[in-house]
Every structure is written in C-alpha cells, then in structure tokens.
Amino acid sequence: MKNILFVASECVPFIKTGGLADVAGALPKSLDRTQFDVRVVLPDYTCIPEKYRSQFHYITNFYMDLGSLGKIYVGVFSFELDGVTYYFIDNEHYFGGDKPYGEMRFDIEKFIFFSKAALSILPVVGFHPDIIHCHDWQADLVPVYLHTLFKSNPFYQGIRTIITIHNLRFQGIWDIKTIRSISGLPADIFTPDRLEFKKDANMLKGGMVYADRITTVSRTYAGEIQMPYYGEGLDGLLRAKSGTLSGILNGIDYDIYNPQTDSKIETTYSVKNFRKGKTANKRKLQKELGLPEDPGVMTVGMITRLTDQKGLDLVAWVMERLLDSQIQLVVLGTGDPNYENMFRHYEWTRKDKVSANIYFNDERAHKIYASSDAILMPSSFEPCGLTQLIALRYGSVPIVRETGGLKDTVEPYNRFAGTGTGFSFANYNADEMLSTIFYAEQVFYDERKAWDAMVERGTKTDFSWNNSAKEDEALYHSLVG
Ligand code: ADP
C-alpha cells in the first residue's frame, strides 16, 4: 500500500471556483484503493456548506511557527467521504469570509500558512505519505519546505513530491522580502535559479524547482508551456525540467455529469433519445430565460470565466455578425466587468438572441449543457478544459480553438470521412472563429444527419477518470517503486 497525500486549495463537493476543484474531488476517488491510501488536505473555509462542515470531526489543534508572524493557530478536522479521508486546516483569520480567494497579498500569506500547515499536521494525524501531490501555486511551497525547514526532521525523510500545474498563468508572486519574512524560508533559496523570478519571489517556481515530478493537465499543454508564447516567463525552466514534466489529461466525474441520471436537468436522456431529450430541455430553458421558444434554433452555450484566457475578446470582436446568424447565445459566467457588461448589453439590445447569466450557478450550468446544441470555447490557451468534456457527455458539440486540452480532446469534424466530435480552428483570430461557427451552423441546419452522428460520436468518447487515474497511478509507481 502506498500513501498519497493531495494538497489543494479547493475540492468538490466542499468548495469550487474552477476546474481544479473538479480534479481534486474526482481523482482521489478514482485511484485504485487496493494499492493507494489517498488523503486530501484542504483549508477549512467557513464558506464550505454547513451540511458538510457540521459533520467534520475535530482532531486537535496546535501552534505553528510562521516566520516573522510567530506562532499561528492550526486546528485540524477530518471527514470521510466515498472512502477518502479529508483533513481540513482550521484558522478563521485565514479561511473566514464568503469566498476562498480575495486580495492577493493576503492570499499569498494564507497559502504560505496552508502549505506549511499541511506538512505540520502529518505527524499529529499519524499519516506518513510516500508521495505528496500538490496542486497549483497555493500548495507549491510544500516541496520547498520539505527540502529546507523540514529536511532534518526524521518524520519527513523519503517523502517524494509531485506538483500539478492546472494553469501556468497563476503563479503566486510577491516581493521577496514579504514572502521570505512570512514563510521563514532561508535567504539562500531566493536566487534566480530557485524562487526568485524577475526580482520577486514565485511560489509556483519554487515547487517546480524542488518537486520530483511536474505534471500538467494535457499533453499538448505540457509541450506548449515549454515555448515562450505559452510559458508565462517560465518556459526556460520548463524546458530544463522537460525530463520530469508530463501531461496527464483530466477527466470528469461521470456520476455527476450524466444526462441519464442528472437530477438538475428537466428531462434526462441517453444516446438513444438525445434529440428528443435535448429538445425538451431546450424548450424549458428558453422559457426560463425569456428567449423565443423555438426548439429548432441552434443554441450555443458558453459556460466560462469571463476572462481574456477564454477568448472573450474574439467573441466581442464579431458579436454583431454572430448575432445576425441563426443562433441563440446563452452565456453563464462571471469575471472581467467589461465582458460581463458586454453580454448584459447584448441581452438588453438583442433579447431575441442573447441570454446573459452573469453569476455562478451549478444547476444552471447543467441545464445549459443539456439544452445547448453547441458549446463555444475559443480559448487563447487551455491547460485541459473541462467544459468541452462535459459538453461531449451531454451531446453538445464543442466549437473550440486548437490549443492545450481542447486540441487533445476534440477531434475536428471531417465531412468526407464522417469522423470527428466537434469543430475547431487553429489561429487566435476572430474571423477564423466566426467562420468555424458558421460552418457548424451550416452542418446543423443543412446536414442534420451528419450533425446527429457527430453528437453520437461525442457521447461515446470516454473522458471519465478511468484512463487518467491509471496514468497517475503509473507515475506514483515510477516514483516509489
Ligand atoms: P477553468 O478551470 O479554467 O475555469 P474549465 O473548463 O477547466 O475552466 O472548468 C470550468 C468548470 O467550471 C466547469 O465545470 C464549468 O462548467 C464550471 N463553470 C464555469 N463558470 C461557471 C458558472 N458561472 N456557473 C457554473 N459553473 C461554471
């Protein structure tokens, strides 16, 4: 039996702001329990729903040294769900409030505390991991601490580390003086070959330097980030580390995302009756959203953070022309106020075509997946992307830019061979995107049989965790034989 510890800042079903939470929730459950004892460390955010929090078991508390801040309270709670043990680190100063992240300076301090606490609780709870698997910058000081302040402590000997980069854009950067002072890490690691990055300190870079392995969430993204265009300033280090870098595709939870059993949608359906099922869902959603009730019109959904990464500037550029075509556009997302207001504006002026839902709502997301004919994802970069995987499962045809995980999971439609599961375009260019959407519309309206066959191929792809979990297992075996 090998002991694996996940360290993450969010995890379904407790707390979610993005895809990381889906991964941290689904992967531990999917690993072979006869070979791995997997446990997960999370912050005990007070905004975790009470129905879970009220069931957490108090284990203990102690005070932990945190650099210049002195002794800080660490409470430890545990909870078991689906055979996985979760540890929650309690400290209301850091994890209070109504959302997990906020102002960056405070987040930096919060996750320095979290990373050190995740290691400090281990002797107390009596779990000795063979491998610690750290997710994103919020957990990436773990390998750094192991190789410095915890190095001479016998308990921590032999622990191997993996960091997974879910999005290279977010790195946890602040000035060296602050990070050094809060973390208590030795001065000699704040050099350009270790944590220093353009005169500041970079927590993700620390993880990359000290971890035994680096993974990211698709093969294409693992290649892309070694190039300057996608490398966010770290491509050089990633090239140097290419021998320990690999891409393992995320999956989605096929129990949660299952149109045959989904209680969040109006009418459940399977591959056999998807046309009928999706039409029923579409009618209901159109009514709910105040769109013209026309089951024949092509509905394009966008369920996404409204940021530049997601290609919203391309959409903004061609919006008028897009809305002159035969579609209804249903947007669900929050983010950059410019994009939020753009969609509000179009909903206001083009009520017959646009529904702008500027909030986060999981139930509505399910309803949109179930009723859309296509899902648009013109990302400028996309480490893996879960939205297109969910779309495939619900019979919504993905229209994507060929980057990162989008490239690895959506096979472009080939009308001659009768293959493919979606539509894609190569260059980050609004006109290219628009002509791809128009091509999709043409197939939808004029070649309905071909469209339905494509939907069917999409629903038959397997992006559950089965395959990815096997790759992670192989990685764990390769690290600790
Ligand atoms: P990222 O992690 O970069 O935000 P992904 O495609 O990997 O993008 O994952 C996004 C996840 O969050 C998907 O499960 C998607 O359905 C969900 N999501 C995004 N925006 C919203 C929203 N406004 N309401 C509900 N779910 C959302």
Side-chain angles (χ1 to χ4, degrees):
M1 186 69 93
K2 293 185 171 79
N3 290 346
I4 313 288
L5 184 76
F6 274 55
V7 184
S9 59
E10 51 184 279
C11 177
V12 163
F14 308 108
I15 184 91
K16 167 170 169 174
T17 72
L20 163 63
D22 292 309
V23 178
L27 179 55
K29 285 198 297 185
S30 311
L31 295 166
D32 180 354
R33 241 53 84 63
T34 63
Q35 298 187 60
F36 300 100
D37 180 350
V38 193
R39 307 192 185 186
V40 183
V41 184
L42 297 166
D44 182 20
Y45 301 112
T46 55
C47 58
I48 291 172
E50 205 42 41
K51 71 170 176 186
Y52 295 115
R53 255 187 123 224
S54 60
Q55 295 184 64
F56 294 177
H57 306 289
Y58 169 77
I59 300 184
T60 185
N61 77 73
F62 57 91
Y63 283 80
M64 176 185 84
D65 272 322
L66 194 63
S68 59
L69 300 176
K71 297 242 178 263
I72 307 276
Y73 174 85
V74 181
V76 189
F77 287 78
S78 77
F79 182 59
E80 213 179 296
L81 188 67
D82 296 331
V84 177
T85 300
Y86 295 86
Y87 296 112
F88 292 89
I89 305 220
D90 174 46
N91 179 309
E92 278 207 25
H93 170 63
Y94 288 126
F95 304 131
D98 58 1
K99 52 185 191 330
Y101 315 122
E103 189 260 318
M104 193 62 195
R105 161 66 182 73
F106 189 57
D107 284 353
I108 293 273
E109 181 179 325
K110 191 189 289 183
F111 291 109
I112 292 173
F113 165 76
F114 174 61
S115 296
K116 190 168 185 199
L119 284 173
S120 302
I121 67 164
L122 297 176
V124 184
V125 300
F127 185 66
H128 185 276
D130 297 296
I131 294 172
I132 304 183
H133 192 155
C134 310
H135 295 271
D136 275 354
W137 72 267
Q138 291 91 342
D140 280 343
L141 283 191
V142 168
V144 183
Y145 273 120
L146 271 179
H147 280 86
T148 54
L149 300 188
F150 290 70
K151 199 176 173 175
S152 54
N153 184 330
F155 180 86
Y156 298 92
Q157 300 302 311
I159 298 178
R160 314 299 302 276
T161 51
I162 300 170
I163 66 158
T164 294
I165 302 169
H166 294 265
N167 190 334
L168 188 62
R169 179 149 292 176
F170 306 115
Q171 301 181 3
I173 299 173
W174 208 257
D175 67 76
I176 291 179
K177 194 162 157 258
T178 305
I179 291 196
R180 208 178 100 189
S181 152
I182 298 170
S183 65
L185 286 164
D188 65 359
I189 66 164
F190 292 89
T191 52
D193 58 335
R194 298 187 195 174
L195 265 70
E196 185 181 331
F197 178 76
K198 299 178 179 166
K199 303 266 184 278
D200 284 323
N202 181 326
M203 291 164 64
L204 171 69
K205 185 178 175 195
M208 285 166 57
V209 168
Y210 285 99
D212 297 297
R213 293 277 195 284
I214 303 169
T215 73
T216 184
V217 288
S218 69
R219 228 160 254 145
T220 293
Y221 192 60
E224 285 173 342
I225 56 177
Q226 297 179 51
M227 297 185 275
Y229 182 78
Y230 293 98
E232 306 286 344
L234 289 169
D235 49 294
L237 179 58
L238 285 160
R239 283 196 298 280
K241 290 268 175 188
S242 61
T244 56
L245 169 67
S246 59
I248 300 177
L249 199 68
N250 285 333
I252 53 168
D253 191 324
Y254 268 32
D255 297 331
I256 295 176
Y257 297 109
N258 183 352
Q260 286 189 61
T261 56
D262 192 338
S263 59
K264 295 184 173 124
I265 65 178
E266 175 67 15
T267 307
T268 54
Y269 58 94
S270 71
V271 63
K272 289 201 184 75
N273 65 350
F274 68 85
R275 217 171 149 169
K276 231 172 121 199
K278 289 185 75 73
T279 302
N281 282 298
K282 191 194 283 192
R283 266 184 205 282
K284 174 81 177 159
L285 189 71
Q286 284 171 330
K287 196 174 177 140
E288 237 171 82
L289 301 180
L291 286 164
E293 288 170 48
D294 175 2
V297 73
M298 177 164 154
T299 312
V300 179
M302 291 190 79
I303 302 169
T304 178
R305 290 183 290 116
L306 299 175
T307 66
D308 282 335
Q309 176 198 335
K310 301 296 183 177
L312 274 309
D313 46 346
L314 301 190
V315 178
W317 190 255
V318 296
M319 199 60 182
E320 300 282 352
R321 281 185 283 160
L322 180 61
L323 295 183
D324 283 341
S325 72
Q326 292 301 308
I327 62 153
Q328 284 183 356
L329 183 66
V330 178
V331 178
L332 175 64
T334 57
D336 186 334
N338 289 328
Y339 296 131
E340 292 186 345
N341 291 332
M342 174 186 80
F343 287 120
R344 285 190 185 111
H345 163 83
Y346 279 109
E347 180 182 80
W348 184 246
T349 55
R350 302 294 301 267
K351 269 197 171 47
D352 58 326
K353 292 271 170 148
V354 181
S355 169
N357 304 275
I358 310 301
Y359 46 78
F360 192 97
N361 184 313
D362 190 47
E363 189 169 321
R364 172 115 324 154
H366 282 246
K367 291 194 161 109
I368 298 173
Y369 285 117
S371 44
S372 297
D373 299 297
I375 290 279
L376 178 62
M377 275 184 95
S379 306
S380 70
F381 69 93
E382 195 60 71
C384 173
L386 301 175
T387 310
Q388 83 281 15
L389 305 183
I390 305 169
L392 287 169
R393 181 100 165 122
Y394 281 78
S396 303
V397 173
I399 303 176
V400 305
R401 182 172 164 251
E402 289 157 16
T403 184
L406 297 173
K407 189 171 175 181
D408 294 350
T409 56
V410 178
E411 190 194 340
Y413 173 54
N414 181 327
R415 70 182 345 152
F416 306 104
T419 56
T421 54
F423 294 86
S424 62
F425 58 100
N427 296 302
Y428 194 70
N429 176 297
D431 287 297
E432 237 180 84
M433 176 189 76
L434 191 62
S435 48
T436 307
I437 298 172
F438 287 167
Y439 178 37
E441 286 183 41
Q442 188 217 320
V443 177
F444 179 84
Y445 288 113
D446 301 343
E447 299 163 46
R448 194 53 200 251
K449 268 211 173 97
W451 180 275
D452 286 347
M454 179 160 33
V455 169
E456 201 170 319
R457 285 192 294 275
T459 58
K460 287 183 176 158
T461 54
D462 182 2
F463 293 110
S464 67
W465 275 99
N466 293 342
N467 303 323
S468 311
K470 286 201 182 68
E471 288 188 52
D472 278 291
E473 288 172 0
L475 177 69
Y476 299 156
H477 285 307
S478 77
L479 258 184
V480 283

